[in-house]
Amino acid sequence: MIAALISSITGLKVGYVERLAQTANHRYKSYLIPKRTGGVRKIDHPSRQLKFLQRWLADNLFSRLPVHEAAYSYKKDLGIKDHAEIHQRSKYILRVDFRNFFPSIRGDDVRRLLMRNRSLLPIQISDEDLSLISLLVCKDDKLTIGAPSSPSISNAIMFDFDSQLFSSCKQGRITYSRYADDLYFSTDRSNVLRPLLGRIETYLQSMLSPRLDINDAKTEFVSKKRKCVVTGLVLTSNRKISIGREKKRAIKSMVFRFQRGTLEAERQKYLKGYLAFIISVEPSFFEALRIKFGSNVLQQILQNS
């Protein structure tokens, strides 16, 4: 019994774990944040106690399930630069986006996932356990943006889809990767990516679990003749990875305002984190900033708490 195991390891009483599961829907704080591309995104943030159990399940159950190599999100020691690098030498790129990815994954999908992979789990789980786990990781029978268990569950649930698409693309000399709800396909061959869109739809329609839909408004075909963006990073025409001109202008402006003493405290925290990101993604731009503003200014930003 999963509740008894959690109780023996964490010290929480079995009744309390079961009560948390039964009342989980009411243990979230929901709020909206603006999307970078416009509109808003709903975040459902679980209570401290529920988040603790979700993280325990992610670490001790869902992390044991297979995740395909084509999945680049939510993996330790992998970032958006690693993801962009596998596409940087291709001439043509297709990006496909899922609509409402996490909420499209239902409690029944979670139960099916665990049933299919029972032999891989470190403990035996009963049908009662399946119900309790799905209650703990879902809100209103759906995965949420905000629960720490959602990323590992989604990656594991997408294993069969990723495997099928990866194999098919490899035969056609197409590079396939998935970063959360974004699918990327790249190749040096013209006229092979557009027909692929129909095959993706066919794969999705054949899937019993989960039921996912493509957000047609975000489907994008690009070539190196235009600006190619992969998970927020720009693939330049000379096959390098960059944060992009607009972001560079914004960062230069923020460094200048920091130097003048007019950059707000919140923006200083953002700038500190982004400079550290630039060092790993585009060190040549960091060097250009050092030459323009001086090493002392950049060190002050990076050491600013």
Side-chain angles (χ1 to χ4, degrees):
M1 185 176 177
I2 191 74
L5 177 63
I6 293 173
S7 174
S8 67
I9 294 174
T10 65
L12 299 174
K13 292 184 179 180
V14 171
Y16 179 72
V17 174
E18 293 174 339
R19 200 157 54 248
L20 268 178
Q22 294 299 328
T23 59
N25 284 346
H26 309 291
R27 296 178 180 268
Y28 289 85
K29 180 180 180 181
S30 300
Y31 52 95
L32 302 176
I33 61 171
K35 292 183 179 180
R36 182 175 54 85
T37 54
V40 294
R41 175 177 284 111
K42 184 184 179 186
I43 305 294
D44 293 294
H45 196 269
S47 68
R48 181 174 56 84
Q49 300 91 336
L50 183 58
K51 182 189 287 187
F52 172 78
L53 292 183
Q54 290 172 343
R55 188 168 285 122
W56 189 92
L57 289 168
D59 292 342
N60 293 278
L61 286 188
F62 295 108
S63 66
R64 306 295 182 96
L65 305 181
V67 175
H68 198 272
E69 63 182 274
Y72 276 75
S73 54
Y74 318 125
K75 284 185 174 179
K76 188 178 179 182
D77 300 326
L78 279 182
I80 61 174
K81 183 183 180 183
D82 301 293
H83 179 235
E85 282 177 341
I86 69 170
H87 297 287
Q88 74 180 99
R89 298 195 173 278
S90 298
K91 293 179 181 178
Y92 307 98
I93 293 178
L94 165 64
R95 177 190 171 223
V96 176
D97 179 86
F98 287 131
R99 182 184 288 109
N100 298 323
F101 180 53
F102 278 175
S104 295
I105 299 173
R106 313 301 293 258
D108 199 37
D109 300 320
V110 176
R111 291 188 286 274
R112 281 197 187 103
L113 171 69
L114 292 172
M115 287 173 64
R116 280 200 317 268
N117 292 279
R118 269 177 166 160
S119 62
L120 300 177
L121 298 176
I123 57 171
Q124 290 187 339
I125 54 175
S126 64
D127 291 341
E128 278 187 5
D129 293 333
L130 294 175
S131 296
L132 184 134
I133 292 167
S134 67
L135 287 172
L136 286 171
V137 300
C138 293
K139 178 180 185 292
D140 298 325
D141 200 40
K142 305 171 186 176
L143 291 195
T144 69
I145 302 173
S149 47
S150 294
S152 57
I153 293 172
S154 65
N155 264 353
I157 272 180
M158 293 300 290
F159 179 78
D160 290 342
F161 174 83
D162 289 336
S163 299
Q164 190 173 17
L165 209 47
F166 181 85
S167 176
S168 175
C169 286
K170 189 174 182 180
Q171 292 175 13
R173 290 184 288 162
I174 298 170
T175 299
Y176 162 68
S177 66
R178 181 178 58 80
Y179 201 96
D181 58 349
D182 287 327
L183 313 180
Y184 288 89
F185 307 84
S186 65
T187 181
D188 283 335
R189 303 165 62 208
S190 61
N191 303 320
V192 299
L193 292 182
R194 288 190 183 277
L196 182 62
L197 201 53
R199 282 156 54 195
I200 299 168
E201 290 276 16
T202 300
Y203 290 149
L204 290 175
Q205 291 168 8
S206 68
M207 286 172 61
L208 295 177
S209 173
R211 303 298 295 177
L212 299 171
D213 293 316
I214 290 176
N215 186 349
D216 294 325
K218 290 190 176 180
T219 298
E220 185 178 25
F221 295 90
V222 293
S223 73
K224 284 295 177 67
K225 294 178 182 178
R226 291 176 51 203
K227 182 170 129 178
C228 293
V229 179
V230 174
T231 43
L233 294 176
V234 175
L235 307 185
T236 66
S237 57
N238 59 351
R239 300 190 173 186
K240 293 186 180 298
I241 294 175
S242 172
I243 63 171
R245 291 179 182 177
E246 293 177 10
K247 182 63 75 173
K248 286 179 180 179
R249 282 196 292 267
I251 294 299
K252 285 179 183 177
S253 174
M254 291 172 69
V255 175
F256 176 75
R257 287 163 56 201
F258 178 88
Q259 193 177 39
R260 294 282 298 272
T262 59
L263 186 67
E264 304 89 342
E266 270 312 301
R267 301 305 286 166
Q268 289 182 29
K269 291 179 182 178
Y270 172 84
L271 180 58
K272 175 182 178 180
Y274 208 89
L275 282 184
F277 175 68
I278 288 169
I279 292 172
S280 65
V281 170
E282 195 174 359
S284 60
F285 177 57
F286 184 85
E287 178 62 15
L289 290 173
R290 188 190 65 79
I291 293 171
K292 183 177 179 65
F293 295 102
S295 299
N296 289 340
V297 171
L298 297 188
Q299 283 300 113
Q300 287 176 38
I301 296 170
L302 290 170
Q303 292 172 3
N304 186 22
S305 59

